[in-house]
């Protein structure tokens, strides 16, 4: 089955700097890669996703890149703000099995 | 996008008892998913709830411990049976949003077993 590895487990950045979180997946049939943000005590919220037919997608300060050959995808947050502090989860989906999540990255943006 | 109502939002239960968590979606969905999130951990899939057939359980989860009902296309329940402190977690239901092809989560049930 699918296995998703996520790095780093914790990340601290200064406000205004960029943050990058990386994930790798094992199932070459996976074709959908969402990213979730989970604030303390709240449900995971979908913030951006990418499908295997594109290499990059951007939404304001957030972007996701996908390298199908290497089976890895990354989340990029630019101009970070304190409200970006949360736990971020990547996930992969092949259509044959439900979403498989990475272990999460705790991002701290220091003002 | 789909709206999911999950209840209860939290509960404190005695060991050995059972708790049933409900998940109601405002539109018909084929599959509903139940996840567990232990403190400080990622989301682990418990089972997929299919309407009209038995749920499909992931490795490490069994029907006797986590019975699931799916009586129609908008509702599902997960029961945590014969609870022990190790069952203390957040339980979340999830569905696919057909319009965008992404998955959304209910607000979660924070379970504490004492």
């Amino acid at each position: 089955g699918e296995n998703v590895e996520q790095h780093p487990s914790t990340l601290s950045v200064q406000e205004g700097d960029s943050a990058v979180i990386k994930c790798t997946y094992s199932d070459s049939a996976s074709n959908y890669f969402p990213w979730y943000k989970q604030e303390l005590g709240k449900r995971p919220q979908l913030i951006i996703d990418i499908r295997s037919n594109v290499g990059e997608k951007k939404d304001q300060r957030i972007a996701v890149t996908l390298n199908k050959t290497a089976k890895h995808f990354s989340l990029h947050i630019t101009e970070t703000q304190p409200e970006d502090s949360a736990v971020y989860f990547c996930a992969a989906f092949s259509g044959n099995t439900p979403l498989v999540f990475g272990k999460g990255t705790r991002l701290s943006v220091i003002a | 996008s789909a709206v999911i109502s999950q209840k209860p939002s939290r509960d404190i239960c005695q060991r050995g008892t059972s708790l049933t968590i409900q998940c109601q979606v405002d539109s018909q969905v084929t599959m509903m998913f139940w996840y567990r999130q232990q403190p400080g951990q990622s989301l682990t899939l418990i089972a997929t709830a299919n309407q009209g057939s038995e749920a499909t359980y992931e490795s490490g989860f069994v029907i006797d411990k986590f019975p699931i009902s799916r009586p129609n296309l908008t509702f599902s329940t997960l029961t945590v049976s014969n609870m022990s402190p190790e069952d203390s977690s957040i339980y979340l239901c999830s569905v696919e949003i057909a319009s965008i092809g992404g998955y959304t989560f209910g607000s979660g049930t924070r379970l504490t077993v004492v």
Side-chain angles (χ1 to χ4, degrees):
Chain A
E2 176 67 278
N3 182 49
V4 178
E5 299 284 341
Q6 183 172 347
H7 299 280
S9 57
T10 60
L11 178 61
S12 292
V13 298
Q14 292 289 328
E15 182 178 0
D17 288 350
S18 295
V20 180
I21 303 171
K22 299 181 178 181
C23 289
T24 61
Y25 61 98
S26 61
D27 187 352
S28 57
S30 289
N31 56 16
Y32 174 67
F33 307 93
W35 286 89
Y36 288 84
K37 175 183 180 182
Q38 187 176 31
E39 297 175 327
L40 187 64
K42 297 187 177 180
R43 77 187 82 182
Q45 296 274 14
L46 178 67
I47 57 171
I48 196 168
D49 56 14
I50 191 168
R51 297 190 179 276
S52 57
N53 58 344
V54 297
E56 183 174 359
K57 184 178 179 180
K58 189 173 182 179
D59 182 4
Q60 299 183 352
R61 297 187 296 109
I62 296 174
V64 57
T65 59
L66 171 65
N67 184 326
K68 285 183 60 180
T69 303
K71 290 192 281 190
H72 67 69
F73 56 111
S74 301
L75 178 71
H76 304 253
I77 306 174
T78 58
E79 302 173 23
T80 53
Q81 302 167 3
E83 51 265 38
D84 294 328
S85 296
V87 179
Y88 292 81
F89 294 98
C90 63
F93 174 74
S94 70
N96 297 319
T97 59
L99 282 175
V100 176
F101 286 85
K103 292 190 181 300
T105 297
R106 182 175 300 278
L107 174 64
S108 299
V109 180
I110 303 166
Chain B
S1 57
V3 175
I4 304 177
S5 300
Q6 185 175 341
K7 60 180 180 182
S9 58
R10 61 179 63 231
D11 208 341
I12 300 174
C13 300
Q14 296 291 324
R15 68 176 64 202
T17 63
S18 298
L19 176 71
T20 296
I21 302 166
Q22 298 180 10
C23 188
Q24 177 76 53
V25 189
D26 67 349
S27 58
Q28 294 184 340
V29 293
T30 303
M31 291 187 289
M32 297 177 72
F33 306 99
W34 287 98
Y35 284 86
R36 180 176 74 181
Q37 187 175 30
Q38 294 178 303
Q41 303 296 313
S42 185
L43 294 93
T44 301
L45 181 67
I46 297 171
T48 301
N50 307 299
Q51 196 273 331
S53 63
E54 282 198 1
T56 304
Y57 289 83
E58 299 299 304
S59 175
F61 298 95
V62 295
I63 188 171
D64 289 347
K65 176 67 176 177
F66 298 100
I68 287 172
S69 78
R70 185 78 200 274
N72 56 54
L73 291 174
T74 64
F75 186 78
S76 179
T77 67
L78 169 76
T79 298
V80 186
S81 302
N82 188 25
M83 289 183 285
S84 66
E86 292 72 36
D87 294 320
S88 298
S89 287
I90 298 173
Y91 293 85
L92 299 119
C93 62
S94 175
V95 302
E96 181 179 8
I97 310 167
S99 59
I100 65 171
Y103 290 77
T104 190
F105 286 88
S107 54
T109 297
R110 183 178 296 273
L111 171 62
T112 302
V113 183
V114 297

